[in-house]
Amino acid sequence: MPWLSILMGVPVVGALAVSAVPKGNDRLAKQLTLAVSLIVLALTLVMAFQFDPSGRRDQFSEIYNWIPSFGVHYAVAVDGIALVLIALAVVLVPIVVLASWNDADRPEAKRSVKTYFALILVLEAMMIGVFAATDIFLFYVFFEAMLIPMYFMIGSYGGAQRSYAAVKFLLYSLFGGLLMLVAVIALYSIAGKGTFLQPELIGVIKDPTTQKWLFLGFFIAFAVKAPLWPFHTWLPDAAAQAPAGAAVLLVGVLDKVGTYGMLRFCLELFPDAAKFFTPLVIALSVIGIVYGAVVAIGQTDMKRLIAYTSISHFGFITMGVFAMTADAGSGATLYMVNHGFSTGALFLLAGFLINRRGSQYIADYGGVQKVAPVLAGTFLVAGLSSLSLPGLSTFVSEFLVLIGTYERYVVPSIIALSGMVLAAVYILWMYQRMMTGPTPEKIKTMPDLNLREKIVVAPLLALLIGFGFFPKPLLDVINPAVHQTLTSVHVTPFTPAIPATAEKKGAGQ
Amino acid sequence: MTTHYLVLSALLFAIGAVGVLVRRNAIVVFMCVELMLNACNLAFVTFARQHGNLQGQIIAFFVMIVAAAEVVVGLAIIVTIFRTRRSASVDDVNLLKY
Amino acid sequence: MEPAEIVQHSGGVIGVSWLMIVLPLVGAAVLLLGGRRTDRWGHFLGVAMSLASFVVAVLVFFELLGLGADQRRRLVELYDFLPAGTLDVKMGLLLDPLSISFALLITGVGSLIHIYSIGYMAHDPDRRRFFAYLNLFIAAMLLLVLADNYLGLYVGWEGVGLASYLLIGFWQHKPSAAAAAKKAFIVNRVGDMGLALGIFVIFTTFGTVAFGPVFAHASQASQGTLTLIGLALLLGACGKSAQLPLQSWLLDAMEGPTPVSALIHAATMVTAGVYLVVRSGAIFEGAPTAQLVVTIVGVATLLAGAIIGTAKDDIKKALAGSTMSQIGYMMLAAGLGPVGYAFAIAHLIAHGFFKASMFLGAGSVMHAMNDEVDMRKYGGLASVMKITWITFGLGYLAIIGFPLLSGYWTKDGIIETAMHHNPILGWLAVIGAGITGFYMSRLFFMTFHGRPRWDKDAHPHESPAVMTWPLIILSVGSVFGGAFLITGNRFMLFLSPAVGRPAELPSFAPFSVTGLVTLALVAVGVVYAWLRYGRSEVPAVAPRGSLLTVFARRDLYGDALNEALFMRPGQWLTRLAVFFDNRGVDGLVNGLAALIGGTSGRLRRVQTGFVRSYALSIFFGAALLVGAWFVVGNL
């Protein structure tokens, strides 16, 4: 069964149906979108249960010729890493749809309500496609095409500075994308294999200098997307201006394409260059971790604050990817998923607050806990997940990244540890300023979360807590895939100085 | 033999090019463009004859067809402009700028 | 004697010992998710869950006792917590004399404080939430002490940090409470960095974080590695246990409701650092430098806490200073190796009783005095609050080391051991005991004796039975606990399967020189306090005091130091970074955009609209091409 094509097809058909809904019938459009996204979620779950973690690398594989004269294929397949990221995307979409129920109705929106929801569905199809693509050309097409719906979502439904933010986002991403296009074409012609299929291009480029140049072409595109310091400044603008739902998809899923691309393309296709550039990337990541956190502390706008925390978190992810140890790799992949849930919850709750008070400035809030305890409580849990409190799934991933990095790079890992303290400062200080203290007049009438909003937040928090205590299901899927990736990079696995567990295993055999 | 035709073709092309650059009347400019096109046609046909194949002749037909189409569109534009602005000078129609 | 082997266990009550953690966790979940619906019976559920956990702990304790001494380290495997590439953490519980001692203290004292809180929080509209947090704390604390690996310990470690954060900031509408909660969490996080680093080093050295294999192989690691691990763990312990230099949060933490101060910031959570050091004994014993640092930190804190305690007028802050100081004693003992471990934990348990009793007593006093905390407005309460007075008095006598009461046995054990180990440490500990005698007497006399200095609208009365019964039970513990544990080295023998013990058991000498000097110094402290605060009039407004008093009143300038060293530079750094990001990084990007925009603005002037100039440029372009072709063609 062509699972992946169906997964992409359903939202596309859904998007067409939603845009065909007659004018003035917004409710139907919303319900239809929600239904379609739930169907996709259900299909993905069915597919995920048929996935065999220890099985082949390219499961649910489909390959058709697309442009035969250039060796371009429509080729999709998933391994553990791609599967969990697709799962992240399809879980977030229905939540975002429900959370943005009234977001497109605002009078300042430039386009119709149904367009917004159709765009979400189009974006969903592309998000699935970009993670599933095993043909580099196809990946590139999705990578760039994803910008279009997001551009309209920010530019047409965003805040006051939406045009500036949308154009900045688009130009920044296009800049990176063009470098990648050059690298893609160069890879094709230098490899001389007449194909764009990623598995067939692994290990083909041997010349170190060529590897370095091609690596840079891919890497800069992904670094802009991720975003890695110093290519990050588009993110705070885009995230602050985008409607909350779009911000969730942008930071939660779209940016993950950058870190996913580093793992899948930069590491696998150009292992020697990746090792050559590792010190640089680790340095940039550590700078990003500390810098993002420090700048986040100084923010006055909560959406910008959350965006900067993400820059800090992306530093952790890239550090984990380039540490090239099994623990850090699994941690980084898990981090991509958890960060989607955690930041998603934070952005959505920030959106609920902004809808109520009409301001995204932290200073306009205070004492919310007194009038809206559920809102404040869920906000706190989401915040705690951002500061990686043990018991929440983000802790597992951050811990793995740090310990995995420590195996190879001691000093960067220790510096990154300070991110833990800084995270506590930015989250708890924001919470203190917004939720505690005396309640100002304008807040006194603030309603607590309604049923729809509770349904939006509950699954995210449940996932955060559930995977916090029991991350095994995710890790079991991720570990073999990371292992395979690291195998194609040819790194020596880490061995402890005094293997205290070895004897036990020996006795058991 | 070939050289003579080519020299003639080059001369015609040069006259046409100079005409386009120095004349103001749109109709004359247009005729100079036609002159350049036909100079090219002459060169094509000359080469076709020299190589003894038909490719040059075929291209000459293409050029004629394109030229005919271009004349139709171009003259229509010129006439419309003349109707509104009472002038056929190419220097008077400079609104399409920056 | 070396610690006993860890044995896999299944079945029995020990097999279901995870119930201890799960029950209060369920309680917390029900109360938090249930919302207002559970308001009416929420506190009963909280108490029931805590008591149930206590019952399980007692059953486990007796089952452990039923096993032979060398069989008393049972490992209960639960599930595969974190299977990653190399790191593979199986979550399990380690039931041994050390962990069960803590579990009994946590659930026992915890349950009493739960019961007490029913009365103390009776008028608070958010009482249910309070009990939810208390239950959460019990669960996290039990995970901390019962986990069989460092990662599980870390989860509990930060879990209690969260509970502490929530409870200090329980009255969130008070800005001071919210700030104190945040401060506690952040300072603790600094310590947690150390603990995390320690875990990293442990993992990269041993390839596992489970206690059993790590301790079994600790002796093979180099001394440098062990010292690094030890110091990193000590940093974690300092954060949680409010030891220098991470002590500053504990005094602010008194913003929380008093039962919280009693349970978390006196009896249990703040002693987690001592647990960590004792539990990691195998590592510290291989790293004498780290042990030395532990003792130095302990002594420094026991003196600093005592000095702070002498100058505070806020009854809870004075008690908090005392808590710091007493944990300093425990830390000192924990740094002395297997001889000290038993005394450290015995003092910890005794302290759990008498400090909880005094904190709850202080709560009872505040309850009676309209939440007034300034001792200068107390005085003469002994006559109106008989039960509180007696129970508090017993706790007070226990902490100053009045002969035959708890503190006498346990603290004397620590001092003797320290003296034996290093006389300088020993004498400093003796001086600390003398100061303890002074500040505790000051507190006691200012509160219960002398002439009443009450506010006009204060009508002190004894607290209800639900509050006094826990006081009575705790004070019984503070009277007899020490003697029970120390005589005949009972506790040391009990604990030895978990932490080992010296070949030669220490014998208790009631009339040693050290002991007599200590008693004399304490007596001097008490008498001086009686002269200053018992017999003579206490001014209602604090006098300016000497330089030393001001120094102590300002928490030895700990906050000022933190502010000058970290907060202000941090604020500057933040501002600088925000400015740099907006103007520097983003400025560069926007500048580039402006440059391109400006250039194209100028370039478009070339488009004049004159057809003939376009034709000319085309002509030149063509000429250029042809010319270039000639040049290249001739090459």
Side-chain angles (χ1 to χ4, degrees):
Chain A
M1 206 168 157
W3 278 105
L4 291 164
S5 296
I6 294 175
L7 282 188
M8 281 184 263
V10 171
V12 169
V13 173
L16 291 175
V18 168
S19 53
V21 168
K23 234 181 184 169
N25 211 341
D26 292 340
R27 221 182 131 73
L28 179 65
K30 292 171 185 173
Q31 286 163 342
L32 194 59
T33 312
L34 186 62
V36 170
S37 59
L38 285 174
I39 292 170
V40 177
L41 174 60
L43 287 171
T44 310
L45 287 179
V46 175
M47 181 184 96
F49 280 111
Q50 295 179 16
F51 182 84
D52 174 15
S54 53
R56 288 168 55 90
R57 171 121 203 232
D58 50 342
Q59 300 189 33
F60 312 111
S61 173
E62 297 167 45
I63 298 186
Y64 307 103
N65 276 334
W66 180 15
I67 312 175
S69 45
F70 293 115
V72 177
H73 298 85
Y74 170 83
V76 286
V78 288
D79 66 350
I81 301 171
L83 181 72
V84 291
L85 288 170
I86 290 175
L88 165 72
V90 300
V91 167
L92 281 181
V93 167
I95 290 172
V96 163
V97 169
L98 201 58
S100 335
W101 207 250
N102 302 321
D103 277 6
D105 297 346
R106 293 178 307 136
E108 63 263 36
K110 283 201 301 201
R111 279 166 217 280
S112 67
V113 175
K114 64 179 184 183
T115 312
Y116 184 79
F117 289 92
L119 283 174
I120 292 183
L121 286 179
V122 172
L123 191 61
E124 178 172 30
M126 288 173 175
M127 293 188 299
I128 296 169
V130 79
F131 290 124
T134 52
D135 183 288
I136 299 178
F137 192 87
L138 184 68
F139 173 82
Y140 176 77
V141 170
F142 281 124
F143 184 80
E144 293 286 55
M146 278 193 316
L147 301 178
I148 302 165
M150 190 43 80
Y151 171 79
F152 284 109
M153 283 166 83
I154 300 173
S156 303
Y157 303 91
Q161 291 232 18
R162 54 194 173 193
S163 307
Y164 169 76
V167 169
K168 192 172 183 179
F169 158 73
L170 192 72
L171 287 182
Y172 238 123
S173 306
L174 278 181
F175 161 73
L178 284 179
L179 286 181
M180 183 175 151
L181 179 62
V182 173
V184 167
I185 294 169
L187 173 65
Y188 172 78
S189 52
I190 294 171
K193 303 267 277 188
T195 178
F196 280 101
L197 287 175
Q198 191 258 1
E200 293 186 24
L201 290 170
I202 291 178
V204 171
I205 305 287
K206 297 261 190 327
D207 178 48
T209 323
T210 320
Q211 272 208 15
K212 280 174 202 162
W213 282 108
L214 294 178
F215 172 89
L216 281 180
F218 278 89
F219 180 77
I220 293 176
F222 296 141
V224 169
K225 196 87 171 178
L228 193 62
W229 189 87
F231 304 109
H232 64 274
T233 53
W234 63 269
L235 183 70
D237 286 319
Q241 296 303 324
V248 172
L249 293 180
L250 175 68
V251 182
V253 187
L254 258 63
D255 289 353
K256 302 299 168 7
V257 180
T259 46
Y260 168 79
M262 290 179 196
L263 198 56
R264 170 78 4 120
F265 298 104
C266 290
L267 252 54
E268 291 189 359
L269 296 177
F270 320 110
D272 300 327
K275 281 177 208 157
F276 176 80
F277 283 110
T278 295
L280 176 74
V281 182
I282 299 261
L284 289 181
S285 310
V286 171
I287 293 175
I289 291 169
V290 177
Y291 181 90
V294 170
V295 178
I297 294 171
Q299 292 305 309
T300 50
D301 173 328
M302 60 173 134
K303 275 167 106 181
R304 283 184 78 87
L305 191 152
I306 301 170
Y308 275 106
T309 69
S310 295
I311 291 164
S312 183
H313 291 148
F314 277 109
F316 278 105
I317 301 178
T318 45
M319 188 172 85
V321 169
F322 277 84
M324 295 190 211
T325 59
D327 295 326
S330 296
T333 311
L334 193 60
Y335 210 128
M336 295 187 214
V337 180
N338 290 334
H339 175 260
F341 296 141
S342 152
T343 307
L346 262 183
F347 263 125
L348 292 177
L349 284 161
F352 296 158
L353 279 162
I354 293 165
N355 280 345
R356 285 167 166 69
R357 178 70 178 77
S359 161
Q360 37 193 47
Y361 289 102
I362 294 171
D364 287 336
Y365 294 83
V368 173
Q369 200 274 336
K370 200 86 190 158
V371 285
V374 180
L375 178 53
T378 47
F379 191 79
L380 181 64
V381 177
L384 291 173
S385 76
S386 185
L387 62 79
S388 300
L389 189 85
L392 299 170
S393 61
T394 43
F395 162 72
V396 176
S397 39
E398 192 162 309
F399 186 82
L400 278 177
V401 165
L402 284 170
I403 207 167
T405 309
Y406 189 89
E407 290 165 11
R408 216 165 283 237
Y409 307 100
V410 171
V411 176
S413 172
I414 293 176
I415 301 175
L417 256 180
S418 69
M420 270 177 51
V421 178
L422 295 173
V425 176
Y426 59 65
I427 290 294
L428 296 183
W429 194 35
M430 171 168 73
Y431 184 82
Q432 184 194 346
R433 284 181 288 172
M434 290 176 61
M435 302 301 179
T436 68
T439 315
E441 259 333 291
K442 282 196 172 159
I443 303 284
K444 283 209 170 120
T445 52
M446 184 180 274
D448 211 338
L449 291 187
N450 60 33
L451 184 65
R452 172 178 67 84
E453 291 165 333
K454 279 181 190 160
I455 295 174
V456 166
V457 181
L460 287 176
L461 299 191
L463 285 168
L464 284 171
I465 296 171
F467 285 131
F469 283 102
F470 195 56
K472 191 170 157 39
L474 282 180
L475 280 170
D476 280 347
V477 173
I478 292 170
N479 285 338
V482 170
H483 177 74
Q484 271 171 327
T485 302
L486 291 180
T487 313
S488 56
V489 187
H490 311 293
V491 283
T492 42
F494 160 78
T495 41
I498 306 159
T501 44
E503 290 167 29
K504 245 166 100 183
K505 269 183 196 159
Q509 274 159 5
Chain B
M1 195 51 192
T2 310
T3 321
H4 294 124
Y5 288 112
L6 287 184
V7 170
L8 177 63
S9 159
L11 270 176
L12 287 173
F13 188 90
I15 293 168
V18 172
V20 169
L21 288 178
V22 301
R23 298 303 297 261
R24 284 189 193 147
N25 190 306
I27 304 286
V28 178
V29 170
F30 222 74
M31 284 161 66
C32 290
V33 171
E34 290 299 312
L35 197 59
M36 286 160 77
L37 285 170
N38 283 313
C40 293
N41 276 351
L42 182 59
F44 277 126
V45 174
T46 308
F47 285 123
R49 187 184 145 82
Q50 189 196 5
H51 292 295
N53 61 19
L54 283 174
Q55 286 170 359
Q57 311 232 8
I58 292 167
I59 299 237
F61 273 111
F62 270 111
V63 173
M64 279 186 225
I65 292 161
V66 171
E70 180 218 329
V71 166
V72 171
V73 178
L75 275 179
I77 293 173
I78 291 170
V79 168
T80 321
I81 289 174
F82 185 77
R83 275 191 190 153
T84 52
R85 304 186 74 93
R86 291 278 139 206
S87 156
S89 167
V90 287
D91 286 1
D92 287 347
V93 280
N94 65 346
L95 282 179
L96 210 62
K97 64 181 174 185
Y98 299 155
Chain C
M1 194 186 97
E2 290 294 307
E5 282 272 320
I6 295 174
V7 191
Q8 293 263 357
H9 186 97
S10 58
V13 188
I14 295 180
V16 293
S17 50
W18 45 267
L19 276 176
M20 271 192 266
I21 300 171
V22 169
L23 286 172
L25 200 61
V26 168
V30 168
L31 294 181
L32 284 177
L33 296 177
R36 301 244 165 256
R37 272 157 295 191
T38 56
D39 268 355
R40 276 185 40 227
W41 44 267
H43 44 287
F44 294 120
L45 180 75
V47 172
M49 286 306 179
S50 177
L51 276 174
S53 191
F54 177 61
V55 170
V56 177
V58 170
L59 292 176
V60 169
F61 174 65
F62 282 112
E63 197 166 308
L64 271 183
L65 280 186
L67 298 164
D70 55 344
Q71 293 290 308
R72 286 187 194 153
R73 300 193 88 185
R74 317 299 288 189
L75 176 72
V76 182
E77 285 198 343
L78 296 180
Y79 69 101
D80 203 355
F81 175 46
L82 213 169
T86 328
L87 179 73
D88 186 357
V89 182
K90 306 237 187 313
M91 186 59 86
L93 301 184
L94 176 61
L95 282 305
D96 70 355
L98 179 62
S99 62
I100 199 66
S101 307
F102 267 91
L104 284 172
L105 175 75
I106 295 159
T107 52
V109 175
S111 299
L112 289 175
I113 292 174
H114 270 77
I115 295 169
Y116 175 92
S117 305
I118 296 178
Y120 190 83
M121 301 297 283
H123 305 298
D124 197 295
D126 275 333
R127 178 163 66 167
R128 165 191 57 86
R129 197 158 54 84
F130 183 79
F131 276 88
Y133 294 163
L134 278 187
N135 267 346
L136 180 68
F137 169 76
I138 298 278
M141 188 72 201
L142 286 170
L143 177 63
L144 193 167
V145 297
L146 292 175
D148 79 322
N149 62 76
Y150 277 102
L151 191 67
L153 181 145
Y154 188 80
V155 173
W157 188 270
E158 290 232 339
V160 292
L162 170 69
S164 158
Y165 168 80
L166 293 169
L167 285 165
I168 295 172
F170 183 73
W171 287 315
Q172 294 193 334
H173 49 89
K174 273 168 52 185
S176 56
K182 183 192 66 182
K183 181 177 176 185
F185 195 95
I186 290 170
V187 175
N188 265 298
R189 267 260 155 149
V190 175
D192 295 352
M193 260 175 72
L195 179 55
L197 180 63
I199 297 176
F200 295 169
V201 186
I202 288 171
F203 173 67
T204 44
T205 310
F206 300 104
T208 175
V209 293
F211 289 150
V214 169
F215 298 151
H217 294 76
S219 53
Q220 295 172 25
S222 71
Q223 198 177 341
T225 312
L226 291 179
T227 308
L228 180 61
I229 299 174
L231 292 179
L233 295 182
L234 176 64
L235 181 63
C238 284
K240 195 70 38 189
S241 293
Q243 301 292 292
L244 290 172
L246 297 176
Q247 84 292 359
S248 66
W249 63 272
L250 184 64
L251 292 159
D252 290 1
M254 296 299 125
E255 286 287 343
T258 308
V260 173
S261 312
L263 177 60
I264 301 186
H265 305 119
T268 55
M269 184 189 86
V270 284
T271 59
V274 181
Y275 170 78
L276 179 66
V277 174
V278 172
R279 178 56 91 194
S280 312
I283 288 168
F284 280 96
E285 280 151 37
T289 321
Q291 277 190 317
L292 180 68
V293 179
V294 172
T295 52
I296 291 172
V297 165
V299 167
T301 313
L302 84 84
L303 289 173
I307 292 170
I308 291 173
T310 54
K312 290 287 175 189
D313 290 333
D314 179 328
I315 184 168
K316 286 180 70 182
K317 294 210 168 168
L319 284 172
S322 141
T323 305
M324 257 175 78
S325 169
Q326 298 302 312
I327 298 172
Y329 275 105
M330 298 170 208
M331 213 44 122
L332 165 65
L336 296 175
V339 201
Y341 295 157
F343 289 120
I345 305 298
H347 192 55
L348 193 155
I349 293 172
H351 175 257
F353 279 101
F354 59 67
K355 189 51 73 60
S357 136
M358 281 193 286
F359 256 117
L360 295 185
S364 174
V365 169
M366 285 162 59
H367 197 69
M369 300 290 286
N370 299 336
D371 288 331
E372 179 60 63
V373 288
D374 189 352
M375 292 191 290
R376 292 186 186 278
K377 296 189 176 163
Y378 292 168
L381 287 170
S383 52
V384 282
M385 306 179 71
K386 277 273 184 307
I387 302 176
T388 307
W389 175 57
I390 292 169
T391 55
F392 197 103
L394 291 173
Y396 152 68
L397 291 176
I399 194 176
I400 63 169
F402 192 79
L404 304 182
L405 267 61
S406 280
Y408 170 71
W409 302 93
T410 56
K411 200 194 286 177
D412 194 69
I414 294 174
I415 292 175
E416 296 273 1
T417 317
M419 195 66 85
H420 187 70
H421 191 81
N422 181 340
I424 302 176
L425 295 174
W427 285 115
L428 288 172
V430 170
I431 295 172
I435 307 178
T436 308
F438 170 70
Y439 72 77
M440 284 313 298
S441 312
R442 170 178 178 270
L443 188 154
F444 187 67
F445 297 144
M446 271 174 98
T447 304
F448 291 102
H449 297 276
R451 275 226 308 258
R453 303 175 296 273
W454 308 339
D455 274 341
K456 279 188 208 101
D457 54 348
H459 305 289
H461 53 85
E462 186 54 278
S463 298
V466 73
M467 286 168 72
T468 49
W469 272 107
L471 287 177
I472 293 166
I473 298 171
L474 285 170
S475 62
V476 170
S478 40
V479 171
F480 301 109
F484 177 76
L485 294 173
I486 300 298
T487 49
N489 285 315
R490 191 179 278 127
F491 194 60
M492 189 169 283
L493 290 170
F494 172 68
L495 217 50
S496 60
V499 297
R501 67 173 149 84
E504 197 181 327
L505 287 175
S507 56
F508 190 77
F511 296 111
S512 69
V513 181
T514 325
L516 289 176
V517 172
T518 311
L519 276 182
L521 267 180
V522 169
V524 169
V526 173
V527 170
Y528 182 60
W530 170 249
L531 294 176
R532 283 283 306 269
Y533 300 100
R535 213 184 54 178
S536 55
E537 193 68 18
V538 179
V541 180
R544 271 190 57 212
S546 65
L547 224 58
L548 191 68
T549 318
V550 176
F551 182 54
R553 227 178 250 159
R554 303 280 297 272
D555 309 342
L556 313 183
Y557 294 107
D559 279 340
L561 203 68
N562 283 343
E563 205 167 289
L565 278 184
F566 301 108
M567 207 179 100
R568 295 205 180 279
Q571 283 173 337
W572 275 106
L573 183 69
T574 308
R575 264 181 234 143
L576 196 73
V578 172
F579 181 79
F580 175 70
D581 199 58
N582 289 341
R583 297 292 159 79
V585 184
D586 207 22
L588 202 69
V589 174
N590 286 340
L592 201 64
L595 184 73
I596 293 172
T599 316
S600 25
R602 286 192 185 84
L603 273 179
R604 72 179 188 186
R605 294 276 156 195
V606 176
Q607 306 286 322
T608 53
F610 291 110
V611 179
R612 291 187 306 138
S613 53
Y614 296 164
L616 192 65
S617 57
I618 291 171
F619 176 77
F620 278 123
L624 206 67
L625 274 180
V626 172
W629 185 73
F630 271 121
V631 173
V632 176
N634 289 343
L635 281 176

